Amino acid sequence: MRKSIIAVAIGAALTVAACTDQEAAQTTEQTAEQTQQAATEFNQSNPFHAESTLPFSAPDFTKIKFAHYEPALLAGMEEHAKEIDAIATNSEPASFENTIVAMEKSGQLLSRVAAVFGNLAGSAGNDDFRALQVKMAPKFAAHSDNINLNPELFARVKAIYETRDQFEGEALRLVEDTYKGFVRAGAELNEEQKTRIREINSEMSSVTTEFRNNLMTLVDENMVVVDDKAQLAGLSEAQIANLAQAAENKDMSGKYVITVTNTTRQPILSALENRELREKIWKASALRGTGNTATDNRPLVQKLSELRAEKAQLLGYENWGAYVLEQSMASAPEAAQQMLRDLVPAVVSNVEGEMAAIQEVINAGGGDFEVQPWDWAYYAEKVRAEKYALDSNEVKQYFEFNRVVEDGVFYAMNQLFGITFEKRDDIPTYADNIVVYEVKDVDGESLGLFYGDWFTREGKRGGAWMSSFVSQSHLMNTKPVILNNMNITKAADGDPTLLSFDEVSTMFHEMGHALHGMFSDVMYPSLAGTSVSRDYVEFPSTFQEDWTLNPKVIANMAKHYETGEQIPQQLLDKVMAAKNFNMGYDTLEYIAAALLDLEYHTLTPEAAASIEDVSEFEQAALVRNGVDVDAVPPRYRSTFFAHVFAGGYSAGYYAYMWSEVLAADAFKYVQENGGLTLENGQAFRDAILSKGNSKDPMQQYIDFRGQKPTVDALLERRGLTAPKID
């Protein structure tokens, strides 16, 4: 069984609403009956019935309809179950080939359907997708349990594991990884415990999907409607037009609709002059999931924390954090907490300085109030303008979207790795404004396909991410088909789409993820590409961010969208000087969220069950960790912390900072050894990007860097200084 199949399938399912407890109890019986029905409904007319004939097995979206997903998913589970049963009941003695490799080859139908379904649910979903996710979530959980808790299958895996000294390299890694996966799923538990694990997994599936479904509902529930254009003073005419169009789309002609984004902080607050409106928008964001009883996520936060803690204890771990981090670079939650807490004094010291500067501006303008969360971004922009004389709108004139893609991101990757991106207009896509490229290696050999889905659309979840339709594997003879998703607002037809510097940096970041998948060079699909621990997966992507300001890259992409003139050195100097402006705030809001995540996931089941008020627990956790600064709330508050309560980052949100330590150290090392060169790119590709999870992550890093990383480069990267000691 390929872990990637189950991960993708469950990930696709765990994005919206929940079933009832009664439905969960009936899951196994219903799944068996419905998968049998699927065999009659699933036939050659379904485009998933056979592998796509398009280049690189890319999905053929000219043929795929919504009605094809459910029968294909059910048939995929049925086929996979039969394949696993054949492996488990094989009369031949267990061997690497007839058990481990056979599992790697199993589930191909389920894999290709789930990959497309999961990606479209996040990138172009609607109510139909969400309803099907609700229906499929417990079925996927049961299917996973049926494999992971199969005693005959585990006996074969264990027999091979006990002879692991005969294996080496990638094969040894796969044997050990497969065995650990079964043990961590509960394969060594007694039948009573396995029954409880199944119940917990089903309930966790339900609670997680309900949490995500509530967030989708809250998008409309928490939008802010403005009647008077005058209240939008400070916004550009283009921004106001976008808000008017959003209102038109909601049948609110003549009004303006502001939709809150996924973080506590809202980008629009940096420009809005109306303080009352700023407060209204901030509260719509920060209080999400606490108002309407139907979408109140507080009980779900408590319940999910309790279920995770109970599952961890059943499996022999002190808490969920210990269970999750066992296979991470950090190894234990204490290490992650220590890393974050070590940064707190320096970060809070920087925040205090930033707050003092903001308060000075407020006082100078006649304000008789202390800075509040809804004031910070607005007045920080004034401080930035005064300190650096930097106009963010002026900067945007030099970062036109197409030029950033072609002459920035693609150019940098060509200089570093020798690769090229060639448009493939013959590959169908699933929505408008998606571009497909064939990626070719330095020697002209095709590496795979890359889909750029950069613009926001109705039904697309917030944020930016990388995913894949097909992963690389020599065993399966497959090359990668990779996607990058962002939520850039596309300009009206005929107008240029101009990007903020943060958006440009994010494009480089996501390309880093894409190349981690694209350069994968492993035998087994379970170990391919980004199938690494959470605190390592963000390292290659964060490393790529810093090429954004490389002089050669800037010279090639940063040109005025009208005149083509190079960005003035004076303006560029301001951009570089301002890059770490407000970094105390940025870092503290992140650290606060990461520590909050670990606080929930180091609870015992009893402690989690005793949480009476999630808001009080959250505040106490922030105080306990010394990150309780009223004007700088956590980047995500508990009730909309999708990373950990609806995604795959539970007890792992710290990973972004952990990975940044690696990225900053590695980038500084590269800069000291020639910078943007093919030699450096090849070294990074050989040691890091090509290895996937076929080798221990820290050993990969040491192979590249020659030593373990230190935090020095991180503090330098973020422009943070230690607090002064009198």
Side-chain angles (χ1 to χ4, degrees), residues 23 47 66 88 180 186 262 268 288 444 464 470 472 500 510 512 541 583 592 622 670 696:
E23 289 172 331
F66 177 78
K180 289 176 184 176
N262 54 340
I268 199 171
R288 269 176 289 177
V470 182
Q472 179 274 331
S500 69
E510 295 307 327
S541 54
M583 191 55 75
L622 298 178
V670 167
D696 176 73

Side-chain angles (χ1 to χ4, degrees), residues 405-457:
V405 172
E406 300 283 348
D407 298 340
V409 179
F410 291 175
Y411 170 79
M413 299 307 103
N414 172 261
Q415 295 295 297
L416 192 60
F417 301 110
I419 59 174
T420 55
F421 294 76
E422 299 181 5
K423 278 188 181 180
R424 289 292 302 262
D425 295 329
D426 58 322
I427 306 293
T429 62
Y430 51 88
D432 294 336
N433 299 315
I434 299 172
V435 186
V436 182
Y437 301 86
E438 182 174 351
V439 184
K440 293 193 174 180
D441 212 340
V442 65
D443 61 1
E445 181 181 350
S446 292
L447 286 167
L449 293 179
F450 171 76
Y451 290 60
D453 185 356
W454 290 293
F455 298 110
T456 190
R457 72 173 62 86

Side-chain angles (χ1 to χ4, degrees), residues 24 52 64 71 85 103 111 121 146 182 215 234 263 316 344 378 460 547-548 551 557 579 660 714 716 722:
S52 170
I64 297 171
D85 182 64
M103 286 193 291
S111 180
N146 288 340
F182 275 87
L215 290 185
T263 58
V344 168
Y378 179 73
K460 192 176 193 179
W547 297 116
T548 309
M557 75 168 171
K579 186 165 72 77
E660 190 178 347
L714 170 70
E716 183 180 326

